[in-house]
Amino acid sequence: MAKIRPLTPELLKVATEELNEVPERIEKDLESLRDWLAKEPHITSRTDDQFLVAFLRNFKYSLEKSKEMIDSYYSVRSAIPEMRKDRDPISERNRQIVKTGYSLPLPKCTPSGPRIYLNRISVFDPNKFSILEILKVASMMNDVAIMDDDNAVISGHVDIMDIKDLTSAHYMAFTPSVLKKLILIAQQATPLHQKEIHYLNLPSSMMTLFNIFKKYLTEQNGVKVYVHANLESLQAAISKDILPEEYGGTGGKIAEITAEWERKLLEKRQWFLEDEKYGTDEKKRAGTPRTPESLFGFEGSFRQLEFD
């Protein structure tokens, strides 16, 4: 019997009708992934059921696509050492980043709905923290979701991007290199399906970046992208029951949600410490090794993007 959490009736319906999940076949599919991993000397991966089933669900139980993302999950992270080292939740630097509330999976969602993430770019100090440090902590929250959040794994996630009070220093932090890494991690190396992005307080100076993201996400991954001129527009798209009080909702205060996420990460400390041993050894890969250059080479519109 596969050791995964039982789903609620609402999520089980989504999993069976939309993700091709057949409960009686899960154990066999998981065993197939473990057998494959045992034959791939370049990958050192977690093999527990709850971790692996997230990849199967993300790809509607396509074994080949699940294998490719497991490989990408580890190879991409191994190629960005800034995002793999020091993932200890008790690290004072990590705790300071968490306390900013930069990226927050919100506690409430509909029974069968996606997880809503609130991202407030301007709350971190780019002169104090690098953008890769910020993304590292955000990826830690994603790892918790992969292991613990059935709504995020089965129904996907929706991002609110609040661009209020963005400074030139924030703008400059999102270099073409960072953008490439961010997109690759989100779309090809994380088994959490992004369904929508809602932009709030988007300044005209961000339209170049916005258009790049929108074109790539909609054409390549089918992500729906919306721009909201005001809070009322956002509230029409995202239920007030889910939104924090600061956004006119009843979903709790941002400070309380942030404190709860600090607690969750601390609770997972042993998981993160153990996670440091997983990754890829590209010297052992059959065929061409995956290098930072091959993974994050710039193409197309990224080459055209310049920052003054």
Side-chain angles (χ1 to χ4, degrees), residues 195-200 210 214 224-228 237:
K195 302 183 77 172
E196 300 175 0
I197 304 179
H198 295 259
Y199 284 89
L200 181 66
F210 169 74
K214 183 176 181 179
K224 296 179 179 178
V225 181
Y226 305 91
V227 176
H228 298 282

Side-chain angles (χ1 to χ4, degrees), residues 21-252:
E21 183 159 302
V22 180
E24 295 78 16
R25 285 184 51 88
I26 294 176
E27 189 170 3
K28 181 179 178 181
D29 290 331
L30 290 170
E31 193 59 38
S32 294
L33 288 182
R34 278 191 286 269
D35 288 345
W36 166 74
L37 283 167
K39 299 171 184 175
E40 297 293 332
H42 71 286
I43 306 175
T44 304
S45 170
R46 292 183 175 276
T47 58
D48 52 287
D49 292 353
Q50 196 70 57
F51 178 75
L52 293 179
V53 79
F55 293 85
L56 290 169
R57 285 167 169 167
N58 187 70
F59 285 110
K60 301 182 179 181
Y61 283 80
S62 165
L63 283 172
E64 292 309 308
K65 289 182 179 180
S66 299
K67 292 174 186 178
E68 175 58 30
M69 181 168 274
I70 292 171
D71 196 343
S72 294
Y73 175 89
Y74 284 115
S75 61
V76 168
R77 285 161 174 75
S78 294
I80 313 175
E82 301 93 336
M83 290 186 63
R84 288 298 291 176
K85 66 182 179 181
D86 185 27
R87 300 219 308 164
D88 189 342
I90 70 170
S91 157
E92 183 57 30
R93 200 161 179 83
N94 289 338
R95 293 185 76 166
Q96 287 178 18
I97 293 172
V98 175
K99 288 177 186 293
T100 68
Y102 165 81
S103 180
L104 292 173
L106 300 179
K108 292 184 179 181
C109 60
T110 60
S112 63
R115 180 65 56 192
I116 310 298
Y117 282 60
L118 174 62
N119 302 280
R120 300 177 300 145
I121 296 175
S122 66
V123 299
F124 84 91
D125 183 352
N127 297 309
K128 184 176 182 181
F129 302 108
S130 75
I131 187 63
L132 288 179
E133 286 182 292
I134 298 296
L135 295 178
K136 174 182 68 177
V137 173
S139 77
M140 291 169 66
M141 292 182 174
N142 278 340
D143 282 340
V144 174
I146 290 167
M147 296 300 297
D148 293 352
D149 190 346
D150 292 326
N151 279 79
V153 170
I154 291 171
S155 297
H157 66 97
V158 169
D159 285 288
I160 300 170
M161 304 294 295
D162 187 353
I163 318 296
K164 183 179 181 182
D165 298 329
L166 202 70
T167 68
S168 59
H170 291 101
Y171 188 82
M172 293 295 290
F174 287 89
T175 65
S177 173
V178 167
L179 289 172
K180 182 71 172 182
K181 291 173 181 176
L182 178 59
I183 289 176
L184 193 63
I185 292 168
Q187 298 299 322
Q188 298 181 34
T190 304
L192 298 172
H193 179 58
Q194 187 178 37
K195 302 183 77 172
E196 300 175 0
I197 304 179
H198 295 259
Y199 284 89
L200 181 66
N201 300 313
L202 184 68
S204 59
S205 60
M206 287 289 291
M207 288 308 297
T208 300
L209 290 179
F210 169 74
N211 288 329
I212 289 173
F213 269 112
K214 183 176 181 179
K215 185 175 187 295
Y216 180 87
L217 294 172
T218 55
E219 291 182 0
Q220 301 296 321
N221 299 286
V223 178
K224 296 179 179 178
V225 181
Y226 305 91
V227 176
H228 298 282
N230 50 53
L231 194 55
E232 289 73 21
S233 175
L234 177 67
Q235 292 168 349
I238 307 291
S239 172
K240 288 185 178 182
D241 292 341
I242 296 171
L243 292 172
E245 291 181 19
E246 290 85 346
Y247 287 77
T250 58

